[in-house]
Amino acid sequence: MDDNKILADMIRDYPDALSDRKRLQALLLDFFPQDRRKRNLLRIVFDDGIVEELRGLSRIDKMTMHRFVRALELGYDIRTKSAEAAVASWVNALGLSMEENGEEKGEKDMPVGRQELSPAVKKEWEPCESDSLYEYEETSRGLRILKYDDFDEPVVVIPNVIEGKKVIAVGNYAFKGCVGIEKVIISEGIEILGNGVFLNCRGLKEVSLPTTLRGIGSTDATGCPKILGSEIKYEGAFEYSGLESVIVPDSVKYVGENSFAGCGQLKRAVLPGKLKEIRENTFRWCTSLRDLTLPQELDAIRISAFEGCDTLQTVDIPEGVTAIEEGAFAGCKSLESVYIPDSVVEIGGGKGTGFLKTFGEPDERHENFTIRCNLGSYAMQYARAQQIRCTRA
């Protein structure tokens, strides 16, 4: 049977699945048991809010389709054809018809960076040029800044337009080692920050992130060092910078590994509500972090995500989280209590060495460290097994 027909039948027979992510995930596993890639792509379209938007439409035009595909490309590093196929599956399953936009011939195929800014785009962000010097390259989507070549001014505004062409991304290591910069304003319209983009910017205390930002960190192979002949991801967009506070906008769907690792002055971090994972080492060794807002739709806290955050005092894990991996809160010496919801069914897993305890060794925990949980929960069983004090939530 055609995959689109299968998906359409699933929606018809189980309409409640479109308002319950866990229900949807279970049904996708039942309906596409042998096709993990298909399941993941369909789920990503749902997680990005595209399905919800499609449900409010009766028809879909090419520009809207392009917007959805581009969001998946940039936010999740998905190839164009895969993104198009995934969105099209939902479009067909929901019974939407396509309509033409009436673009002038040749305009729709022109690279983004060469198109004249349309009125619709101008409403989203104001064009901002800069007198600073940048090396950049042109991609099919727009310009990517490669390197900042100017002096380290205290305040730097990263432009969204260079020589009349839209800037879509700030590439790997573009500002690495610019220790004299104290504040960075990233203009609206920019969607991606690359690997190590502000690495070792020790004077950088403040950053203003745009509401158009989709991802922090990049899986671009040119930013991956090689170890023993194999490529690994390296992200660390703000690693070892002097940031004191960061608010990640709700538009961001991906925050890469090591993004804020070693930011010893970081006191406050607010993460976007729909972020699904706090990835490996994201806040490792943020020794001043005390004020933390976790995403409400969080699924997992990965290996060593908050390791060494030794001034963090209390953490409330949101309902819906299923996994807290190895070393997630190791070395958090001031951590007095953690609330763990019933949804958590794994503590201490992940692809680690197996030697790092999730909440650290007993002698490095706060003397009153307590797990708050519900009677009969997995968290209660874990606390008993690890000889950690537990109390009713």
Side-chain angles (χ1 to χ4, degrees):
M1 186 183 294
D2 179 75
D3 285 351
N4 294 340
K5 179 66 165 58
I6 294 173
L7 187 59
D9 290 346
M10 187 193 80
I11 294 171
R12 182 197 64 213
D13 296 338
Y14 304 96
D16 60 317
L18 297 185
S19 56
D20 184 339
R21 182 179 185 274
K22 290 187 176 179
R23 173 74 164 152
L24 175 66
Q25 196 164 357
L27 286 168
L28 289 175
L29 182 59
D30 289 341
F31 280 79
F32 301 98
Q34 306 300 323
D35 197 340
R36 181 179 179 183
R37 182 173 176 274
K38 179 79 172 181
R39 295 198 307 269
N40 287 341
L41 286 169
L42 292 173
R43 180 178 52 78
I44 286 171
V45 177
F46 179 85
D47 287 343
D48 202 63
I50 293 172
V51 173
E52 185 63 28
E53 192 168 341
L54 288 173
R55 292 176 70 191
L57 303 175
S58 58
R59 299 172 67 85
I60 181 170
D61 58 42
K62 288 185 178 180
M63 286 302 293
T64 303
M65 185 77 172
H66 174 70
R67 174 164 62 86
F68 290 153
V69 169
R70 187 175 169 204
L72 298 177
E73 287 177 319
L74 298 177
Y76 300 91
D77 197 32
I78 296 173
R79 291 183 178 180
T80 302
K81 287 186 178 179
S82 298
E84 287 174 347
V87 176
S89 291
W90 281 107
V91 167
N92 293 327
L94 291 167
L96 302 183
S97 57
M98 290 289 297
E99 65 181 25
E100 296 293 331
N101 270 336
E103 302 101 327
E104 293 183 13
K105 184 177 181 181
E107 182 182 345
K108 63 183 179 181
D109 296 322
M110 196 178 297
V112 172
R114 295 185 182 275
Q115 292 179 23
E116 183 179 349
L117 300 179
S118 68
V121 174
K122 289 180 180 177
K123 289 180 181 178
E124 294 179 10
W125 49 270
E126 291 295 325
C128 172
E129 296 235 27
S130 172
D131 293 333
S132 298
L133 304 176
Y134 295 96
E135 294 178 17
Y136 60 87
E137 66 179 357
E138 192 166 344
T139 74
S140 61
R141 301 170 186 161
L143 301 186
R144 175 166 54 192
I145 291 174
L146 299 177
K147 188 177 180 182
Y148 177 67
D149 282 336
D150 212 340
F151 292 104
D152 293 2
E153 300 293 339
V155 179
V156 171
V157 177
I158 300 179
N160 53 30
V161 175
I162 297 178
E163 296 183 356
K165 299 173 184 177
K166 181 179 176 181
V167 176
I168 199 75
V170 185
N172 301 332
Y173 312 110
F175 287 82
K176 178 183 176 181
C178 293
V179 296
I181 297 175
E182 299 176 8
K183 179 179 179 178
V184 169
I185 300 170
I186 302 173
S187 297
E188 293 290 329
I190 292 176
E191 301 183 13
I192 295 291
L193 299 180
N195 296 337
V197 63
F198 297 105
L199 177 65
N200 289 333
C201 293
R202 297 188 179 275
L204 180 60
K205 297 180 175 64
E206 183 180 353
V207 63
S208 175
L209 300 175
T211 59
T212 52
L213 194 65
R214 308 279 308 175
I216 298 175
S218 167
T219 55
D220 183 349
T222 60
C224 297
K226 288 188 176 182
I227 295 181
L228 301 179
S230 62
E231 289 188 349
I232 64 167
K233 291 200 300 291
Y234 173 78
E235 290 170 323
F238 293 92
E239 189 171 14
Y240 294 113
S241 70
L243 280 184
E244 296 179 352
S245 176
V246 64
I247 299 175
V248 182
D250 284 340
S251 57
V252 172
K253 302 296 193 299
Y254 180 88
V255 177
E257 297 173 9
N258 302 286
S259 285
F260 303 99
C263 293
Q265 306 304 313
L266 186 66
K267 300 178 180 64
R268 179 181 182 231
V270 178
L271 295 174
K274 293 187 176 183
L275 192 70
K276 300 300 180 184
E277 295 183 359
I278 300 178
R279 300 179 72 83
E280 187 171 335
N281 302 329
T282 298
F283 291 97
R284 194 180 191 190
W285 301 320
C286 290
T287 54
S288 300
L289 184 63
R290 295 174 66 95
D291 186 355
L292 176 65
T293 302
L294 293 175
Q296 288 306 303
E297 296 188 16
L298 190 64
D299 283 341
I301 300 174
R302 299 300 183 193
I303 295 172
S304 297
F306 295 96
E307 183 184 353
C309 294
D310 56 15
T311 58
L312 198 60
Q313 294 182 339
T314 62
V315 174
D316 289 342
I317 308 295
E319 299 288 341
V321 171
T322 59
I324 307 171
E325 292 188 350
E326 178 182 334
F329 294 95
C332 296
K333 298 178 181 179
S334 299
L335 188 61
E336 295 184 30
S337 73
V338 175
Y339 167 67
I340 301 179
D342 292 353
S343 57
V344 171
V345 293
E346 178 186 350
I347 300 177
K351 298 178 181 179
T353 61
F355 295 104
L356 194 60
K357 293 184 181 297
T358 301
F359 299 99
E361 298 294 336
D363 60 356
E364 64 181 8
R365 298 177 195 144
H366 190 280
E367 60 182 358
N368 296 321
F369 177 64
T370 302
I371 288 177
R372 292 177 286 120
C373 57
N374 293 319
L375 191 65
S377 65
Y378 175 85
M380 183 178 181
Q381 298 173 34
Y382 173 85
R384 294 275 171 81
Q386 297 295 320
Q387 300 182 40
I388 297 172
R389 180 185 307 173
C390 62
T391 62
R392 187 182 299 276

